[in-house]
Amino acid sequence: MDLTLIVVLVIALALFFDFTNGFHDTANAMATPIATGAIKPKAAVALAAVLNLVGAFLSTEVAKTISGGIIKEGGETGVQIMPAMIFAGLMGAVVWNMVTWLLGLPSSSSHALFGGLIGAAIVGAGFGAIDYNVLMSKVLLPALVAPVIAGTSAYLCTKLAYSVTKRQSGLASPKRGGFRYGQIFSSSLVALAHGTNDAQKTMGVITLTLVASGLQDAGTGPHFWVIATCALAIALGTYMGGWRIIRTMGSGLTDVKPAQGFAAETSTAAAILTSSHLGFALSTTQVASGSVIGSGLGRKGAEVRWGTAGRIAVGWLFTLPAAGIIGAAAAGLAHFGTGGLVIVTVLGVGSLLVIWVLSRRELVGHHNAISDVDVSGAAVNIPTKKERRKMERAKIKQEVK
């Protein structure tokens, strides 16, 4: 197959992965404010889409980690990574992303991407194609540490928020109503942070492809057109919503109140922005989930659903190896040349169609994704001072009658 055609196919599949990454991870920013009623579902995903688009232009450190870090490409000590291998790795990531979306699991799109690329690179170029120091220091170690740090931070912030707005027994605390407005800001910060981290992963893959095909020098960062197209793809995916995962994140882990939602989102944003600055290819999903659990533990009387948390953890555990196995199998078929690539494409597209058909059995959208959590939002609908005065006047008039 002509090299230019392969490169075009890889870029197209990479942008589709970016699209799936967008709707897979919308819940990270918007599940909790939707759950508390701080912002309407459609407005939430639209806001997240715009901020993902903006965030993608703010940094390229994570893209450099992928394009010049995990896979040793080019140079005197590097290995020759062919575009066909990258295509195989992307296929593994896309298929696994769609499987976890169907199951409503907030798994890591980042680890799916890394797993697919690593599996394909090992089959195509051997175990020496992977820089294990970079893999450990900038992917695996942050994956273990960041959710714990974010969860602990969310726990402490939730404790602090409820302590500052402590209310008398049996009475509502009007001060806590302000957290619903604060959630709009904090969730927006998470969406912006997501754009600075996750969109760059696809930028890195496309840059890696261009380097591998000799169209770009090794060690250089992504071109502007790569940044722009990746930003647009993840923004469009974000606007699609990913409602299955929003339902899991919004109600599956714990019942979210505004104060704890604000604490969780702030902790998530801080962790992601720090990792983007340091070039850590962090899983925003793992950080967000850790923050939601931490906030649930921090609110007195809240129940953390450990069964759901365990199911999510199993998904995390299997993501990297599962995507790696799919990527490795695809790379094995790609060795047969044009015929192999055609088989990989047909099997991949067929798998995606099957997943889409299965998803139609239970439609989940903005109209029903929050059906399990809208009671939570109503429970914290604290009247404003003006509304309370109006209610008091109405009560007095009723008593006079």
Side-chain angles (χ1 to χ4, degrees):
M1 185 179 290
D2 181 68
L3 179 62
T4 303
L5 180 57
I6 297 177
V7 171
V8 170
L9 287 175
V10 172
I11 292 174
L13 185 59
L15 292 175
F16 181 72
F17 167 79
D18 204 24
F19 178 81
T20 67
N21 192 352
F23 72 72
H24 206 281
D25 290 1
T26 308
N28 297 342
M30 294 301 170
T32 49
I34 290 174
T36 62
I39 187 170
K40 297 294 183 182
K42 292 295 288 184
V45 297
L47 177 62
V50 172
L51 291 170
N52 267 279
L53 179 68
V54 174
F57 287 93
L58 299 183
S59 173
T60 58
E61 291 303 315
V62 174
K64 293 175 183 176
T65 295
I66 296 172
S67 64
I70 295 177
I71 308 295
K72 297 177 181 177
E73 88 286 357
E76 296 180 0
T77 60
V79 296
Q80 185 64 35
I81 304 297
M82 301 304 294
M85 282 187 245
I86 301 174
F87 183 79
L90 280 169
M91 189 62 75
V94 167
V95 170
W96 184 253
N97 251 9
M98 294 300 292
V99 168
T100 50
W101 165 76
L102 177 66
L103 298 175
L105 288 177
S107 66
S108 171
S109 298
S110 307
H111 288 185
L113 176 61
F114 299 140
L117 290 175
I118 289 170
I122 289 174
V123 168
F127 287 93
I130 310 301
D131 190 327
Y132 296 99
N133 290 328
V134 174
L135 176 64
M136 179 59 67
S137 64
K138 291 203 171 186
V139 178
L140 297 181
L141 189 59
L144 296 174
V145 175
V148 177
I149 294 176
T152 303
S153 175
Y155 171 83
L156 295 175
C157 288
T158 303
K159 285 288 189 183
L160 178 62
Y162 277 90
S163 176
V164 170
T165 59
K166 189 175 182 179
R167 60 189 179 185
Q168 297 179 4
S169 179
L171 297 177
S173 175
K175 295 180 182 178
R176 290 184 187 166
F179 283 114
R180 295 179 72 179
Y181 300 103
Q183 276 192 279
I184 298 175
F185 170 77
S186 57
S187 61
S188 297
L189 192 59
V190 174
L192 184 70
H194 182 265
T196 68
N197 196 283
D198 278 45
Q200 293 185 55
K201 292 158 190 172
T202 305
M203 297 177 202
V205 170
I206 294 177
T207 301
L208 179 61
T209 303
L210 297 174
V211 170
S213 58
L215 299 175
Q216 184 173 334
D217 295 332
T220 56
H223 295 303
F224 178 79
W225 69 266
V226 175
I227 297 173
T229 53
C230 289
L232 182 60
I234 199 169
L236 289 174
T238 302
Y239 186 71
M240 294 298 293
W243 301 106
R244 292 172 180 271
I245 300 174
I246 286 177
R247 181 169 62 180
T248 299
M249 289 283 285
S251 64
L253 287 171
T254 185
D255 293 324
V256 183
K257 306 297 184 184
Q260 69 183 102
F262 177 79
E265 293 147 16
T266 303
S267 301
T268 299
I272 297 171
L273 287 171
T274 301
S275 68
S276 296
H277 177 70
L278 297 175
F280 293 153
L282 198 65
S283 166
T284 56
T285 302
Q286 292 181 352
V287 174
S289 299
S291 294
V292 171
I293 292 173
S295 69
L297 293 173
R299 180 171 69 86
K300 186 178 180 180
E303 176 189 0
V304 176
R305 300 180 181 91
W306 293 109
T308 301
R311 194 163 63 95
I312 292 173
V314 170
W316 291 352
L317 183 65
F318 278 98
T319 291
L320 199 146
I325 290 172
I326 299 172
L333 289 172
H335 271 304
F336 292 100
T338 301
L341 285 172
V342 171
I343 293 174
V344 170
T345 303
V346 171
L347 290 177
V349 173
S351 300
L352 299 181
L353 287 175
V354 169
I355 293 171
W356 182 79
V357 170
L358 292 175
S359 72
R360 307 303 292 175
R361 295 181 177 180
E362 182 189 4
L363 295 177
V364 181
H366 67 92
H367 59 287
N368 63 353
I370 61 170
S371 59
D372 295 327
V373 296
D374 51 5
V375 176
S376 171
V380 294
N381 187 16
I382 300 171
T384 63
K385 184 180 292 186
K386 184 177 180 181
E387 289 172 337
R388 292 198 306 275
R389 288 175 178 172
K390 186 176 181 180
M391 291 167 61
E392 289 173 0
R393 288 196 295 266
K395 184 178 179 181
I396 293 172
K397 289 181 179 180
Q398 188 66 29
E399 290 175 352
V400 170
K401 292 180 180 180

